[in-house]
């Protein structure tokens, strides 16, 4: 089962990582100033991850494949890791689609 892990960056912005059942990070969010916005980003991933047209498949300058997940308004919600092959990237997209809808949310910013 997947998990959304909320953490805080050095610059105090909040972010989330979506991890698959095996603990691999499959999607990383942009930074959010407000924690509430981070939670809204997670809800947006849960909804938009099921629509294949929301995935923008890209190639990095080093030639590796990656994808971004966009909301309906075109804003980027999250970005994948770099993959060595297109099939690896497609497997990453499939993993987001299967893990995101039921992933639990773990807020690591509440730990002291």
């Amino acid at each position: 089962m997947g998990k959304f892990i909320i953490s805080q960056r050095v610059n105090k912005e909040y972010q989330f990582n979506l991890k698959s059942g095996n603990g691999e990070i499959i999607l990383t969010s942009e930074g959010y100033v407000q924690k509430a916005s981070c939670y809204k980003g997670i809800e947006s991933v849960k909804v938009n991850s099921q629509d294949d047209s929301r995935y923008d498949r890209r190639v990095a300058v080093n030639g590796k494949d990656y994808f971004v997940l966009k909301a309906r308004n075109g804003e980027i919600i999250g970005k994948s890791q770099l993959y060595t092959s297109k099939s690896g990237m497609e497997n990453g997209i499939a993993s987001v689609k299967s893990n995101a809808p039921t992933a639990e949310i773990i807020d690591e910013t509440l730990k002291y």
Side-chain angles (χ1 to χ4, degrees), residues 62-74:
N62 65 1
K64 295 195 177 207
D65 296 290
Y66 72 102
F67 63 88
V68 295
L69 177 62
K70 293 184 175 181
R72 183 179 297 168
N73 65 4

Side-chain angles (χ1 to χ4, degrees), residues 58-96:
R58 299 181 176 182
V59 178
V61 292
N62 65 1
K64 295 195 177 207
D65 296 290
Y66 72 102
F67 63 88
V68 295
L69 177 62
K70 293 184 175 181
R72 183 179 297 168
N73 65 4
E75 291 290 315
I76 294 174
I77 313 166
K79 188 163 97 170
S80 75
Q81 66 181 10
L82 297 176
Y83 294 95
T84 57
S85 67
K86 287 197 184 315
S87 64
M89 177 186 63
E90 292 299 331
N91 288 339
I93 290 171
S95 185
V96 172

Side-chain angles (χ1 to χ4, degrees), residues 48-62:
N48 289 290
S49 65
Q50 301 310 295
D51 184 345
D52 195 65
S53 70
R54 301 278 187 254
Y55 292 91
D56 191 2
R57 292 151 173 91
R58 299 181 176 182
V59 178
V61 292
N62 65 1

Side-chain angles (χ1 to χ4, degrees), residues 2 11 15 29 34 38 42-43 49 59 63 65 73 82 103 112:
N11 67 0
Q15 74 170 40
S29 75
Q34 302 287 330
C38 189
I42 290 171
E43 290 307 312
S49 65
V59 178
D65 296 290
N73 65 4
L82 297 176
Y112 295 97

Side-chain angles (χ1 to χ4, degrees), residues 4-23:
F4 286 100
I5 310 292
I6 297 173
S7 60
Q8 204 166 16
R9 295 176 175 178
V10 175
N11 67 0
K12 302 296 183 197
E13 287 185 340
Y14 296 93
Q15 74 170 40
F16 63 81
N17 285 312
L18 173 58
K19 292 187 175 185
S20 64
N22 66 5

